[in-house]
Every structure is written in structure tokens, then in C-alpha cells.
Amino acid sequence: MADVVPTRLRCEYLTNPLAIDTPQPRLSWVLQSGDRGVRQTAYQILVAASPEALNKDRGDLWDSGKVASDESNQIVYAGKPLRFGQPAWWKVRVWTNKGQASDWSEPASWRMGKLAPADWNAKWIGSPEPAPGGKDLPQRPSPMLRKEFTLDKPVKRALMSASALGLYELRINGKRVGDQLLAPEWTNYKKRVQYQTYDVTGLLRSGANALGATLADGWYAGKLGISFIVKDGPLRGHYGRRLGLLVEMQVKFEDGTTRTIITDESWKVTTEGPVRRACLLDGEVYDARREMPGWDEPGFSDSAWAAAAVLDEAKVHLVAQPNEPIRVSQVLKPVAVNEPKPGVYVVDFGQNLAGRCRLRLRGEAGTTVTLRHAEVLQADGSGMIYRDNLRINANGPGTGALQEDQYTFRGGMEETWAPAFTYHGFRYVEVTGLTGRPSGEWIQAEAFHSAPPIAGRFECSSDLLNRLMQNIVWTHRDNMHSVPTDCPQRDERLGWMGDMLVFAQPACFNMDMAAFFTKWTQDIRDDQADDGRYPDFAPHPYDPNARFSGVPAWGDCGVVVPWRMYVNYGDRRVLEKHFDSARRWVDYIHRHNPDLLWKNRRHNDYGDWLNGDTFKLEGFPKGQGEVPKEIFATAFFQHSASLVSKMAAVLGRSAEARQYGELAEAIRQAFVKAYVMPDGTIGLKDPQGRLLGHTQSAYALALAFDLLPDQQRAGAAQRMVERIDAYKGHISTGFHTTIMLMNELTRNGYNEVAYKLINNRTIPSWGYTIEHGATTIWERWDGYVEGRGYQDPGMNSFCHYAIGSVGEWMYRTIIGINPDEQQPGYRHVILRPQPGGGLTWARGKYESIRGPIASEWKIQDGNLLLTVTVPANATATLYVPAAEAKAVTEGGKPADQAEGVTFVKMVDGAAVYELGSGTYRFESRGYAR
Ligand code: BGC
């Protein structure tokens, strides 16, 4: 009994969440068992309104009874209706195919958030002065708000829900509430504003208490990426100009009575506080002389403060934040502090990160320290920082991202400060205004970002590839700020969809993206244009009906990301929510392109962005990069149509599955007819009859989307390899086709060519960037070239994840972990490590929604030793590289006789086995001789 334990209980992908506003939340757990071949055959869930009831095995909200099922994920709560404030305590037990019954799991909980406007009593409040009119909204001091109240009885529990139009930071009795940064984060505020819920029991006391809040512009009223594109429009204030605060705290006393503290006209407000300016892009200006000690504690005299105004314009749709908040994930110390000019200190943190610096310094009252952040140093060796790529004033006065913080000392003591309402993309920070070289731990960097649990770990015998994976993971972290951003430094930081389209799978390998994508797919739907066009970035603050929407690949992200969620997490509900939206996008393209080639309405038409034709490199042949935009677009049209058909099939909508399946097949045929020449070459004839686009990208695209008839695949793969040779053995692909190239080389028998590309150290390659100091993935393959210097400062970020999509190939091919879309959510996993490229060992682990999957191999004495772990309640197909099936053993026995192992057949130099759960040790004798 009890060799099996249900663990990791979660509700809506979160551990013990305090506010769930989905009326029927979904529950999941992970089965733990050391045995082989364990499958869950049934489960029972109990949900109770109190821990006491749960303890007595009373499911007074829901007793599922014993349900025959192997599902451990996406189980929909089906008990009594849940209302706001309802706590739900739950546990689960399971039965297995081995005749085991588990004990009840450890209990977990969730609590229902506010489900309707009527659940709120609080009022939106803010400064009494109306927001400034005029074209542009000036940067301004942050309002501070406060309220005192008395609690005359011992408190049992207090929960506080809060939101802002703008950003908020809350304090109770002198202490910060929660560790969340930049709350309530970014949404289309016109459609929804998130609130957060905190357990503040420990912050309250009997007697007098005080609540304090500071607000800032943030995404709501601040400057946003590329706001200059709206001609004659403002740089700031895209969603609104007047900042607002909403707080509602439910206090439950030991004696069972309750009290609610809310924002209302009894609060006081001032704009005389220390935060003089705060902008996400430009930075924060803080004058410590204006601090008001005690303002967030009871007994402070706020007689000079004004009465807060109730904002009646705030008709806001509030939703509970569905994903993990933005938090500090790592603190970094300087690796060097240099003084390239007298009084100019350049601090190197050794890592390009997104976040802020924290100072601990003494200074004379009234003197100001300025921090200017940069990703790289000047190419001239002067040791000064390079900031041209921040585009400061490059698109008109006030445009760009200043990334500059200023701190003015209060004086007379050691002062500690970090900005609260901004973030920067940087490795280096230039500090000026100091009176001498500081000593001790005077500066640190805090990396922060939306912080879901880490899911994947990767390591191998190559230092270069280990650094590459670290660069990919850092770039991912640096670009998770409520939305997946393109970059964290210049004035963009937008949820560019084309970037996440290609990074979605590696993102899922790196982190548990389920809750984050739940939020972002809603952002995508919120900003879909009326005619079905998806935005180029989501959220879209500049009206997707007017501009920046409807682009091939960027728009297709609206179809691809929900599908990735289904494949990786088995999330059927996201498909239900998203299906109509995805279909509208495909219908939009179809409506304007009835002949099935996507020639019309490609809008900004970025194509395979930053491909070889954009490189500024000597000695490489021209015209070897781009796949013609029409070919690129048509391929994505086909891909989206086929995914919509698959979504329909999952949802049981068979008529639509057939309809979009037929459409996809018709587009595929039109593609072949128009772009595949009789000899198998792919391209587009220009008016002079020349063939354009016979490039690596064209073949990678056609192969990756299965657009070619079977008999043409081998020829296309061969041409793809020839195109690599023609490009001196290097990559000429752009954002979207790079990962396709890598995957298709491996899939079509050219694994060694893929390894050669990933091991390249000459430009263009990942290795070149690493050997030139990259600690994150560059936007451009040639962002910096020795002797030439930096690329066009108008667009040259050193922290863009798109070509880091090769992380997907590293997990799929080196470690060999592949999700199976036929059995999503890792109910079944395809394990296919394919050693090569001179690697002698590799190991990786992926924390799937079904439990940990591990794969580890090494080559020893000419034999391949391979250890894999399949989680309980999952199965795997394993490909063991082998000369012949006879050469493979497991645990010292012929593999086909081992427990839980079934030999299937030999495929392309691998012995294929079906495995149940458990850990297996295979040896492939003579594999590497
Ligand atoms: C962004 C990209 C984005 C692109 C659209 C750029 O400025 O940084 O990553 O996808 O614009 O082409």
C-alpha cells in the first residue's frame, strides 16, 4: 500500500491561490511512485469548506466519489457553486493498475476571488486634481495615499485585494505588502484590470493601524514602446491619465465577526513624496529628502494632505491575476567596478539582466547619484557604456528609453534604495555623482520578471552549449514582464507576437508557462481587431483596427500559442475559449485571399525577420537569406488552418475539423503548385523570370509545415543542406526559420549538420556571440562584429529570444524530450536523444505537468549508456541509438526482456521501445565504435 503518492496539488496551475475567479476551477496533481509501469486507474477528490471538515474526510463542497480515470490534470471542479470568499480545502487519493490505493494527499487549498462587480465595496480613489490635459502627459510625482483604522479585537485572518490604474505599492504599519513588483501588471485596461490578493494577517495589530499606497504611471499612463508610431499622438497616457487605487481588506476576528476596510473618500493623498518621476522606460527620480518617515504607520500627521477624490470615471472590469506575479528572482553582485573617467564608475554585473540596481550608500544631503543602464560597452575599448541602441530621442523629442535613475540623498546615515516603478535591461550601469570610490557592498542588481516555476534543466559536455542554454534562459527571464516582450531595454518591450510564436516551445521547456500563457492568450483575444486580424503585439495600446495588426507569423501566434498550451499542458479549456478567435483569424486571411496564396493584406509584412539578407557581413553571398514574403505568408496560412482543424477535432467539432482540414490541404496544394518547381526547387519567379528564395529558409519552412509531397521531402532536405554549404556552412535564416532549419536537419537525416551549425564559432553563429561576450541571445546574428562594431543602433538589442528558439532543438535532440500532441500534457512522451557533434554526455530534466521526465546519456568505452525516467501515470516511446536491437540491454538484461519494456522495431539506427513509468538504464553496446 501507498507506494504511490499524489503530490504537487494545484488549482488553475497555481499552488494554494488566494483568488480564483473561474467559477469551475481545474485541479491537478502529480503521481509519485518509484515502481515501473504505474498508471492511475481512478481518483477521488474531496473539497471541503474548512480544514476540519477535510480532516474528517468530509467533502462538504464536493466529493467526486471514485472516478475511473487516468486523468491527473485539468479535472474540473463539479461541486457546490462557489461564491466570492469561499475557501476550498482539498485532497485527492488514487488507485493504480498495480492494485495500489494511495493515502490521501497532503491538503491543498484555493479561495474564490471576487466574481462580480457586486462583490466589491471599495471605491476607486486618487488625487483630487484632474489629470492634465494637452497633447502630452508630463512626467509627474507619484501620489501617496494613506488611511488609519483601529482594530479593537484580535485578528484571525486578513486578506487584502488591491488594484490600480497605474502601478501600486502597498504598505501596512511600515511594512511592504507582498513581494510583487509592478502590480497590477499589464492588460488592455479598457477591457480588464487585474487585482492581486494578499494574506496580510501578520502585518496587522490590535489597536491603531495604517495603510499606505504609492502609485505610478506604469503601462496605464506611462510611455510605452514605439508610442511614436501614432502620428501626432501622445507618448504617454495611452489608457488613461488619472491614476487610481482600489483596496479592499476583509478582516476576520477571532470571535468570528468581520470588518471590511476599503478605499473611499476618507483616505488622504499627497504628491509631495519622494518619487518625483517614474517611467517604465525612462527610469525613476527619487528625492529622499522628501521622504515622510512614519507616513505608513499610525499616528502620522497628514493634515497637510488632501482628501482623496473618488474617481467616477473608473468603470473597470476587474479580474484576479491568473498567473505568477513579477518578483525578484536573483540578486547579482558586481564582477567589476571600473573608473574609465574620473568620477565615472562603470559597474559590470557579468550578466545582461532585466531589473534594477539597489544602492547602499552614504551621501551628503541634496547630492544626487545618477545611474545610467546599458547592455554593452563602447566598441572603442574606452570602457564607457554604449547606449545608442536605446534610441533616446531618435524618433522625436522624448522618445526612446532613458533607463536612467536618480537618487538624491537625505544625508546623515547609510541609505538604501531601489526604484520601485521601472525596470531596465542592462549588464552595465554607469554611476556618477559620487564623491569618491565607494567601498563595501554598495550596489547590487536585482533581476525580476514574471516568475513561473523553472521547468527544465540542461547540461552537457560542451561549455559552449551550456553557456548557450544559460543565455537562452536568461533572455527568457529578461523578457517576462507581465507579457512576453521582445526586449527589455529600448523603447519597445512589447508583447511582439512573432517573437513568442517561435519561442513558445522552448519557453515551455524552460519554465512552466501554463498560467502565464493563460493570461497572455486573453490579452491576445482582447486586442484582436474587429475583422479577425490578430495584433502584431498584445496588449496593443495603439488600436489594432488602425495599425500594427494582421501580419503573417505575428498574427499566427494567436493560433500557435494556444495549441502549444494544449500540447504541453493538455489544456482543452484554452482551446474552448480560443477557438472562435483562432478561426476568425484564418477566415480573415481566407476572405482576402480566395485563391489560397496569401498575396493580399499582409500589412506590415515583416517576413522571416532579420534573415541573412539583413546581415552587414563581408564575404557572404547575397540573396541567400530571405524566403519571399508571399511564400512565408502562405506557409503560415496553411499552418494556422491546419491547427484550427486540429483544435476543432479536439473539441469534438467535427464539421469544422473537416472544413479547416480541407482548407489546409487546399492551401498546401496551392503552395506546391505555385512555389515548388518541377525539379523540386522552391522559390518565386520574379517578373524577369528569376527564381527568388531558393534559400535555407524556404526548404526549412516547407519541411517544417509538412507542405511537400512525401517523395519531395528528401530532395528538399538535400537542397537545404546545399544552401548551408553555399553560405559557407553557416546559418542564413531569420527569426522564424532558424529553429525549423535545425529541427528539419535532424528529422531528415542530417543531424550532424545541425550539430555543426550549433557548434560553429565563426559568424554568423550562436558560438560567435558567446565568444564575443554574449550572456543573452542577440536580436541580430551580427549585432556586433569584431573590427566592424555594432549594427544599426536603431535596432540592435542584445536581449531578444527569437533565435534562442534553438533551445527547443537542444531539448528535443540532445536530451531527447519531445511532447506528443496525440497524447498531450505528457500523458505520453517521445524520448529520442540523438548524440552527435562530439558531445560525450548530456543530461536534462523536465518537470512536466505529469511529473518529472529525465534523460541522461554518456558515451563510455564505445558504448552508449542511457538512463531515462518516465513519470508515474505516463508512458514513453524511447529511441535508443543502436546498431542493432541485440546490442541493447536494460539493467544488464537483453532490453526486450526487461520489466516494463517492450521492443517495437528498429527505426533509422535506433531500437524503439515502449515504456511505462519508472527509471531505466539502457546500454547500447558498440554504439560509438
Ligand atoms: C521588435 C521585434 C519585432 C519586430 C517586428 C522589432 O522592432 O523588436 O522583435 O518582432 O519589431 O518586426
Side-chain angles (χ1 to χ4, degrees), residues 486-487 490 492 496 499 554 606 609 735 779 795 800:
D486 54 334
C487 56
R490 68 172 180 237
E492 298 231 18
W496 279 102
D499 305 43
W554 275 255
Y606 312 113
W609 194 238
F735 268 28
E779 177 175 27
M795 221 183 69
H800 252 68

